[in-house]
């Protein structure tokens, strides 16, 4: 079975440009998460969805960041305009809650560099 | 104080050694706890959940002490393939889905 799919795997862009990261969760999973990982701040949850509805976006750093989930098999994270401090690895993860135990499955990540 | 704190590491141990990692968390309402493993330049992957009674999976043993807000991971008979960063994870919301990751402890198992 395919795992979580993210694209692109690497993105290099100039400051001020719009960046769109894409994610396809594991089929049948009802939760989708966006994380950001940097050396300084570690792995941080940005936002998560349940059944395509945003549940908690308190981790989104500022209005330049937005996330959508138009259907159960696709989500985007958009940064507009991008800044050098946005350089990080962005992970998408999905999970299926079963009882009180669950596992978040991570995609391979998108390594974003903003120059 | 950070929500989740871990031994900074790195831990450099010989093959066959036993190594223990510690993790403390600040939110007493946290419900679920996990250890994830992350290889260099890869995504995190679940190593094991941590249950109140403690649990074991092969060479790995996890313990939870709710009173002290403390989690541990013990690795016995270390293998070269255990070299990775180990991330302590705590949930902090009522849905149990808001994962807070610790900064991680890096382990290098040496031949």
């Amino acid at each position: 079975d395919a795992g979580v799919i993210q694209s692109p795997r690497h993105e290099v862009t100039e400051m001020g440009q719009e960046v769109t990261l894409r994610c396809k969760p594991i089929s049948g999973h009802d939760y989708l998460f966006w994380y950001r990982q940097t050396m300084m701040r570690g792995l941080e949850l940005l936002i998560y969805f349940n059944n395509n509805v945003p549940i908690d976006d308190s981790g989104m750093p500022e209005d330049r960041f937005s996330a959508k989930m138009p259907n159960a098999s696709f989500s985007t994270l958009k940064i507009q305009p991008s800044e050098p401090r946005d350089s990080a690895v962005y992970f998408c993860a999905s999970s299926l809650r079963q009882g009180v135990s669950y596992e978040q499955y991570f995609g391979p990540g998108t390594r974003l560099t903003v120059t | 104080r950070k929500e989740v704190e871990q031994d900074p590491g790195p831990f450099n141990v010989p093959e066959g050694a036993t190594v223990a990692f510690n993790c403390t968390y600040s939110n007493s309402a946290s419900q679920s706890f996990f250890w994830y493993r992350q290889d260099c330049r890869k995504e995190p992957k679940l190593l094991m959940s941590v249950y109140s009674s403690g649990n074991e999976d092969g060479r790995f043993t996890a313990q939870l002490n709710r009173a002290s807000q403390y989690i541990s991971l013990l690795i016995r008979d270390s293998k070269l393939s255990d070299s990775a960063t180990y991330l302590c994870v705590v949930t902090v919301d009522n849905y149990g889905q808001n994962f807070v990751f610790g900064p991680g402890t890096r382990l290098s198992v040496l031949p």
Side-chain angles (χ1 to χ4, degrees), chain B residues 49-65:
Chain B
S49 302
V50 185
Y51 303 121
S52 297
S53 55
N55 48 298
E56 187 175 307
D57 182 2
R59 298 181 293 108
F60 300 84
T61 300
Q63 296 281 349
L64 168 65
N65 184 322

Side-chain angles (χ1 to χ4, degrees), chain A residues 21-25 32 34 49 67-71 73-77 92:
Chain A
L21 311 181
R22 298 173 175 79
C23 176
K24 177 178 169 57
L32 183 138
W34 282 101
F49 297 83
K68 294 182 180 179
M69 191 166 186
N71 57 62
S73 59
F74 183 67
S75 177
T76 59
L77 178 68
C92 177

Side-chain angles (χ1 to χ4, degrees), chain B residues 6 11 24 38-39 46 71 80 82 102:
Chain B
Q6 296 185 240
F11 284 57
T24 57
Q38 186 173 24
D39 292 298
L46 179 67
I71 306 160
L80 295 176
D82 294 334

Side-chain angles (χ1 to χ4, degrees), chain A residues 26-31 33 51 94-99 101-105, chain B residues 97:
Chain A
I26 294 172
S27 178
H29 281 191
D30 55 354
Y31 284 87
F33 309 82
N51 293 322
S94 70
S95 73
L96 175 65
R97 184 163 188 177
Q98 294 176 312
S101 182
Y102 47 84
E103 174 181 356
Q104 290 188 17
Y105 294 82
Chain B
Q97 296 286 352

Side-chain angles (χ1 to χ4, degrees), chain A residues 10 31 33 35 37 42-43 45 48 55-56 58 91 95 97 100-109 111, chain B residues 2 32 34 36 38 41-46 49 51 87 91 93-103:
Chain A
H10 301 273
Y31 284 87
F33 309 82
Y35 289 88
Q37 187 172 37
L43 194 60
L45 177 65
Y48 76 89
I55 301 299
D56 186 347
S58 59
F91 288 105
S95 73
R97 184 163 188 177
V100 296
S101 182
Y102 47 84
E103 174 181 356
Q104 290 188 17
Y105 294 82
F106 282 73
R111 187 169 296 273
Chain B
K2 293 184 179 178
S32 301
F34 308 89
Y36 271 68
Q38 186 173 24
R41 300 180 77 84
K42 297 288 188 180
E43 69 274 21
K45 293 183 179 179
L46 179 67
S49 302
Y51 303 121
L87 302 164
T91 63
D93 69 339
N94 291 332
Y95 293 96
Q97 296 286 352
N98 191 330
F99 279 21
V100 178
F101 282 78

Side-chain angles (χ1 to χ4, degrees), chain A residues 1-34:
Chain A
D1 288 341
V4 175
I5 299 172
Q6 291 187 245
S7 65
R9 295 292 305 276
H10 301 273
E11 177 81 28
V12 180
T13 191
E14 292 183 347
M15 182 173 64
Q17 297 298 307
E18 178 179 295
V19 175
T20 299
L21 311 181
R22 298 173 175 79
C23 176
K24 177 178 169 57
I26 294 172
S27 178
H29 281 191
D30 55 354
Y31 284 87
L32 183 138
F33 309 82
W34 282 101

